[in-house]
Amino acid sequence: PAADGQFGNALVTRLALGDVRTLPLPKGDGSMERSAVVATFDTPGGTATVIALHLQHRNSEAGIAARDAELAVVLGEWGGAPRTIVMGDFNADNRRLVEDAPKRLESPEHRNTLEPMLDAGFTTTQPTLVCTMPTSNDNCSDFVFVTPDLLQEPPVEVLAEQGVGDHRPVVSTVLVATVD
C-alpha cells in the first residue's frame, strides 16, 4: 500500500520472489503518499532487484521537486547494485522537451524528470527526450530502466489498447547480459 488500502503498487511476475517490501517515498505537494515495491529474485547471473514505483504527478515546481526527492530515495535504495530494473509511472512530462530545449536551463518545469535515471547509468529502449510511445493518454509516463548488465530485447513495447485505469500496458523482456 501507498496512501491507503486503495492505492499502492503491484508487481506481478511468474518468477519466485525473495525479499519483497514497501519503500516509502517523500510526500510531495499532492494529497497522496507515494511508495515503491522493492523485490529480489534469482537469475543465472545472481540476485536481481526490481523496483516498481509511482511518482508524484503534478508538473508544478513543487511537484517536480517532489519527483526529484522520490527518485533520490529510489536511487539511494538501489545503491549501484547490479542486475536492477526500475519501472513504473515516472509521471515524466517529456512531451515538450525537444521544442522547449532552450527553456530547460531556465526553469525546472522544463527539466526532464528522467535525467536522474540516465545520469545514474540506467538505460532504456524507450525514447526519453520526446514522447513517441504514449502510455497514458498522450503522455509518456511509464518506463522500464535497467542497469547496463541487463538487456532489453526486443525494445520496450507499449500496447495499443488501454489497460486498467488510464494507462496502456508496457511490455519489456529483460535478459541478463553474459560475458564472453
Side-chain angles (χ1 to χ4, degrees):
D4 56 28
Q6 181 180 357
F7 297 101
N9 300 294
L11 177 62
V12 180
T13 178
R14 66 176 182 230
L15 302 173
L17 295 175
D19 179 43
V20 179
R21 60 193 173 77
T22 300
L23 176 66
L25 298 177
K27 188 171 184 304
D29 67 340
S31 61
M32 186 183 304
E33 293 181 33
R34 304 290 176 145
S35 68
V37 173
V38 181
T40 61
F41 59 95
D42 291 327
T43 74
T47 301
T49 302
V50 175
I51 302 173
L53 54 77
H54 186 185
L55 301 182
Q56 171 63 243
H57 71 284
R58 297 175 191 246
N59 283 316
S60 63
E61 194 169 330
I64 291 167
R67 280 198 297 270
D68 287 345
E70 291 166 339
L71 277 179
V73 169
V74 168
L75 291 172
E77 173 69 21
W78 164 60
R83 295 174 300 281
T84 301
I85 303 164
V86 180
M87 63 183 184
D89 187 348
F90 285 78
N91 274 309
D93 186 18
N94 60 354
R95 289 171 293 165
R96 59 180 194 217
L97 287 175
V98 172
E99 63 251 23
D100 288 351
K103 297 178 186 175
R104 289 175 65 200
L105 299 176
E106 300 169 17
S107 170
E109 293 178 11
H110 295 275
R111 199 176 124 297
N112 188 342
T113 297
L114 305 174
E115 285 177 9
M117 296 301 297
L118 300 170
D119 291 346
F122 281 86
T123 64
T124 183
T125 60
Q126 294 170 265
T128 59
L129 292 178
V130 65
C131 185
T132 60
M133 297 169 44
T135 62
S136 176
N137 302 315
D138 64 347
N139 300 311
C140 288
S141 300
D142 306 289
F143 287 86
V144 179
F145 287 95
V146 298
T147 50
D149 53 354
L150 298 175
L151 304 171
Q152 289 180 316
E153 291 184 4
V156 173
E157 179 183 5
V158 177
L159 303 183
E161 68 272 3
Q162 196 76 9
V164 176
D166 63 342
H167 292 259
R168 292 174 190 86
V170 177
V171 178
S172 179
T173 300
V174 178
L175 306 170
V176 177
T178 57
V179 178
D180 293 332

